[in-house]
Amino acid sequence: MPPNLYLWLSEQRSVFDFIKSNGIARKLASRFVAGETVDSAIEAAKVLNADGTMVSLDLLGESVSSREETGAARDEVLEILHAIFETKVDGNVSVKLTQLGLDIDRSLCIENMSQILERAKELDIFVRIDMESTEYTERTLEIFEELHDKYGNVVGIVIQSYLYRSAGDIEMLVKRGARVRLCKGAYSEPPELAFQDMKDVRAAFVALMKRLVDDGTYPGIATHDDEMVDKTLKYVEANSIPVERFEFQMLYGVRRDLQKKLRNQGFNVRVYIPFGSNWYPYLMRRMAERSSNVGFMVKSLIRETFAGK
């Protein structure tokens, strides 16, 4: 299916209404999104915690267009922080700067993030700023540095290995002592900015992974790729890197077999739990960003089905 068709579908309210009322479609969506409310996300978190898996709650929604929407998103993130604290869930929070006003006004975005981080600091809960497309990379890192100067490692950041610039960004973040989540990257980026061949993306990921587990501050190695996981395991074993120094990170509903395997081997595993009323556009945009995302989700379902999970 062409990417622009997924984008078109993401904007069709009638399709969303059908999916919400269709039991089979909704069940499929629920595999990858933990409902629409903070309570539903907390319940999903408790189930994962019971198996020894940490979580990061991710309120869906990005690229908002009004100050009122940014305020609503900020308030819901504050509610998430309160819920984590009250329920004693072993988890943190993930946010996108476009959700908090980056496209509207830089100072508004920083003010919203500051309110979130003030509360997170009071409650001793970590907050990760997600990385979006390259349109936002530089601005996101600039705001992160400003916030990190003030709040330290209450706040962390994400780096995408498929961007040419990421090696330099990792060096800056390692020197800063920042907490980094390393992922391959899911957006469709042009060849002048990003590696296009998965072989090159993987090679960059491995190089950055080594740098982070050697000298980073509790990095998150975010991948469902067996090859990347195996190379990480071999590297930490060969270099006697303690399991307490890093964690593996994966998405809700994806490679639960691999999550269990890593937990059983004694590694720290964190699952990102997306939730919220914007779950349908979220799924469609993920499909539009890369056609491989469709096959990836289907393969995950098939793999676990035949494994009897």
Side-chain angles (χ1 to χ4, degrees), residues 54-104:
M54 302 173 291
V55 302
S56 186
L57 302 188
D58 182 7
L59 173 65
L60 294 174
E62 54 197 79
S63 300
V64 302
S65 57
S66 72
R67 289 176 177 268
E68 290 75 20
E69 288 178 293
T70 71
R74 176 203 62 217
D75 291 346
E76 192 157 5
V77 174
L78 292 172
E79 182 183 350
I80 297 167
L81 291 170
H82 178 74
I84 290 173
F85 180 77
E86 288 296 316
T87 60
K88 296 180 171 55
V89 159
D90 187 356
N92 55 42
V93 176
S94 177
V95 299
K96 288 183 172 63
L97 294 187
T98 58
Q99 191 176 27
L100 296 166
L102 183 58
D103 280 330
I104 300 170

Side-chain angles (χ1 to χ4, degrees), residues 42-305:
I42 290 292
E43 288 307 308
K46 288 179 179 178
V47 172
L48 286 162
N49 280 179
D51 282 338
T53 302
M54 302 173 291
V55 302
S56 186
L57 302 188
D58 182 7
L59 173 65
L60 294 174
E62 54 197 79
S63 300
V64 302
S65 57
S66 72
R67 289 176 177 268
E68 290 75 20
E69 288 178 293
T70 71
R74 176 203 62 217
D75 291 346
E76 192 157 5
V77 174
L78 292 172
E79 182 183 350
I80 297 167
L81 291 170
H82 178 74
I84 290 173
F85 180 77
E86 288 296 316
T87 60
K88 296 180 171 55
V89 159
D90 187 356
N92 55 42
V93 176
S94 177
V95 299
K96 288 183 172 63
L97 294 187
T98 58
Q99 191 176 27
L100 296 166
L102 183 58
D103 280 330
I104 300 170
D105 182 85
R106 186 180 190 275
S107 61
L108 171 67
C109 180
I110 291 176
E111 173 58 28
N112 283 330
M113 273 303 303
S114 295
Q115 290 186 43
I116 289 168
L117 294 176
E118 288 287 349
R119 187 63 175 145
K121 185 176 181 179
E122 291 173 6
L123 301 178
D124 192 25
I125 298 173
F126 176 70
V127 176
R128 178 94 60 186
I129 296 175
D130 273 340
M131 190 59 73
E132 303 176 64
S133 68
T134 49
E135 177 185 355
Y136 301 103
T137 304
E138 186 66 28
R139 284 180 286 166
T140 297
L141 283 167
E142 287 175 354
I143 290 176
F144 168 74
E145 290 180 61
E146 184 173 334
L147 294 170
H148 190 260
D149 284 343
K150 183 174 182 180
Y151 295 100
N153 280 339
V154 173
V155 63
I157 191 68
V158 177
I159 292 295
Q160 301 169 111
S161 74
Y162 69 171
L163 298 183
Y164 302 142
R165 62 171 292 161
S166 291
D169 292 333
I170 287 289
E171 288 304 314
M172 177 273 291
L173 293 165
V174 167
K175 291 175 183 176
R176 178 176 275 276
R179 285 181 58 176
V180 176
R181 177 187 191 232
L182 176 66
C183 65
K184 288 180 184 174
Y187 296 89
S188 180
E189 300 291 358
E192 60 266 25
L193 297 176
F195 296 110
Q196 304 298 303
D197 192 314
M198 185 53 66
K199 176 187 66 177
D200 296 325
V201 175
R202 286 187 172 119
F205 186 98
V206 171
L208 298 179
M209 172 273 293
K210 291 177 179 179
R211 185 74 180 97
L212 287 169
V213 297
D214 281 342
D215 297 306
T217 302
Y218 193 65
I221 308 304
T223 182
H224 310 92
D225 187 325
D226 287 309
E227 180 181 335
M228 298 300 91
V229 171
D230 288 344
K231 288 189 175 182
T232 301
L233 294 176
K234 289 176 181 177
Y235 187 77
V236 298
E237 180 180 3
N239 291 275
S240 301
I241 294 169
V243 295
E244 297 82 8
R245 286 266 300 279
F246 69 100
E247 66 184 30
F248 285 104
Q249 297 183 354
M250 299 185 189
L251 296 174
Y252 184 69
V254 179
R255 294 306 311 273
R256 294 183 297 191
D257 56 327
L258 183 55
Q259 294 171 25
K260 181 178 180 180
K261 176 183 176 182
L262 290 169
R263 287 197 311 269
N264 289 344
Q265 291 176 340
F267 292 97
N268 296 321
V269 177
R270 186 180 306 276
V271 166
Y272 269 56
I273 301 180
F275 76 97
S277 59
N278 285 314
W279 60 267
Y280 169 71
Y282 161 81
L283 285 176
M284 289 300 102
R285 283 196 296 270
R286 297 298 81 79
M287 303 306 180
E289 283 157 6
R290 282 196 166 189
S291 59
S292 59
N293 287 351
V294 184
F296 181 76
M297 288 186 173
V298 172
K299 285 179 185 177
S300 180
L301 286 169
I302 293 173
R303 182 185 286 111
E304 291 186 23
T305 298

